[in-house]
Amino acid sequence: MHESSLISGLIRQIESIVHPPPVRKVVGVTLRIGPLCATNPDHLRDHFLLAAKGTIAEGAELKVETIDDPADPNAASVILRSIEVEE
């Protein structure tokens, strides 16, 4: 359930960033997750595929970078790093 709310919030954030047009489609999204975040990249990708259906991000590739240092200030965070769009 944690991933569902994270990804729903991510989709809303993406839609607010790329709206209004000329963006036709989001083709890639890059996230950064810390080691203390209670999820893993594969699980996030699965949830992203489901949540993106019917949105501007449908079909976009989700890339996940990881932070290895548990002492990093973002160790418990999921951070939107970039959005790749097609105009």
Side-chain angles (χ1 to χ4, degrees):
M1 198 60 116
H2 174 69
E3 288 83 358
S4 294
S5 62
L6 275 172
I7 296 299
S8 293
L10 173 66
I11 296 292
R12 284 191 303 276
Q13 187 177 11
I14 290 168
E15 290 177 328
S16 71
I17 290 169
V18 299
H19 182 54
V23 172
R24 292 186 306 170
K25 184 176 181 168
V26 173
V27 294
V29 176
T30 302
L31 298 180
R32 190 167 207 205
I33 64 171
L36 304 180
C37 188
T39 190
N40 69 60
D42 292 332
H43 205 61
L44 281 176
R45 283 186 198 93
D46 291 342
H47 281 274
F48 181 80
L49 286 174
L50 292 173
K53 285 187 180 179
T55 74
I56 196 166
E58 184 171 3
E61 178 185 5
L62 180 66
K63 300 170 195 146
V64 181
E65 302 170 348
T66 57
I67 301 168
D68 296 326
D69 182 4
D72 186 289
N74 295 308
S77 300
V78 176
I79 300 165
L80 176 59
R81 297 273 293 160
S82 67
I83 301 171
E84 183 181 346
V85 298
E86 180 180 282
E87 296 183 14

